[in-house]
Each structure stands twice: as structure tokens, then as C-alpha cells.
Amino acid sequence: MNYTTIIGLLAGALTTFSFLPQFLRAWKTRSTKDISLVMYIIFSAGILMWLLYGILLGELPIIIANIVAFLFNLMIIYLKLKYK
Amino acid sequence: MNYTTIIGLLAGALTTFSFLPQFLRAWKTRSTKDISLVMYIIFSAGILMWLLYGILLGELPIIIANIVAFLFNLMIIYLKLKYK
């Protein structure tokens, strides 16, 4: 594994797991009024495009990060629709 | 420009501009209670790592997307700190 891949994995870990505190906050407070649903829908569409991009480049950090980030985004969208 | 680059640019446009509706919502409602500050701080750190990754790979879509996304994230952090 070269150092570009290591930086990519670290970048992916940060941007992916950043959604966890947002998910936990929404889950605990049961309030998602200030969260933009449009943001998460557009972001999820973008994640799927990044996933395709990662597959085309054959870059594992991009592929892994975007699969996990997509799941976190779906979880936040679920809470947004549940609590409004 | 090959089709991988086009997909990357489209992916970057989506994930980057997805933050715009979140910024506009916070700006209009002057309410950011439900937004996780920790998420945006970690996400911003991740964006800087993706930027470095893009520079190392020499991939323009990754570089451009992450510069713009970083600016949007700073704007949301500013509103989060301003309105709490």
C-alpha cells in the first residue's frame, strides 16, 4: 500500500465517519428540523457517482468510503423523515 | 477528457453543491440547533485530506470538488457558531 492510498483511506474514514455524530445527535434529540433533506438526497446521489468513479479508477479508498458514507446518509435521511 | 473524469466532475458537483441547500436553510431560518458541529469539523478535516489525495493522484475532479466543498463547510460552521 503506497502513501497516496493511506492518505485516501484516512480521508475516507474522516468524511465517512463524520456523519456518525450527526446521526447520533438526531437519534438522541429526535429533532431534525434544521437538517436539510435536499442536502442529504443530493449528497447521496453524489456518493453513488463517487462510488462509480472509484470503481472506474480501481481506487479502493474511494470505493470503501463511499459505500459506508451512503449507508450513513440513508440513516440520516430516515431520521429526517421520521422526526421532521 | 475521458468519461471517468466526467463522472468524477459530476460526482464532485453533486456532493459539493449539496451543502448549498443546508447553508441556505440555516441562513434563512437562523436556526442550527439540530446540526452537528462535530460532523462539520470532522468532515472539513476529511476534505483537506481528500484534497491532498487528489493532488497526489493529479485528479482534477477531486481537487476542485474538495476546494469548493471546504468553503461551503466553513460557511455552515460559521452559521452553526453564530446561531447555535
Side-chain angles (χ1 to χ4, degrees), chain A residues 31-36 80 84, chain B residues 22 25-26 29 31-35 84:
Chain A
S31 173
T32 56
K33 177 177 62 68
D34 300 330
I35 293 173
S36 166
K80 172 66 185 174
K84 302 246 171 169
Chain B
Q22 179 65 80
R25 186 186 185 97
T29 61
S31 173
T32 56
K33 177 178 61 67
D34 299 330
I35 293 173
K84 302 244 174 174

Side-chain angles (χ1 to χ4, degrees), chain A residues 3-4 7-8 10-12 14-15 18-19 21-22 25 31-36 38-40 42-43 45-47 49-50 52-53 56-57 59 61-62 65 80, chain B residues 3-4 7-8 10-12 14-15 18-19 21-22 25 31-36 38-40 42-43 45-47 49-50 52-53 56-57 59 61-62 65 80:
Chain A
Y3 73 106
T4 303
I7 288 168
L10 186 57
L14 286 169
T15 51
S18 70
F19 291 106
Q22 179 64 81
R25 185 185 185 97
S31 173
T32 56
K33 177 177 62 68
D34 300 330
I35 293 173
S36 166
V38 180
M39 169 187 153
Y40 284 93
I42 299 175
F43 198 89
I47 287 172
M49 298 297 293
W50 278 125
L52 182 59
Y53 178 78
L56 289 168
L57 282 185
E59 280 291 319
I62 302 178
K80 172 66 185 174
Chain B
Y3 74 106
T4 303
I7 287 168
L10 186 58
L14 286 169
T15 51
S18 70
F19 291 106
Q22 179 65 80
R25 186 186 185 97
S31 173
T32 56
K33 177 178 61 67
D34 299 330
I35 293 173
S36 165
V38 180
M39 168 187 154
Y40 284 93
I42 300 174
F43 198 89
I47 286 173
M49 298 297 291
W50 277 126
L52 181 59
Y53 178 78
L56 289 168
L57 281 186
E59 280 290 319
I62 301 177
K80 172 67 185 174

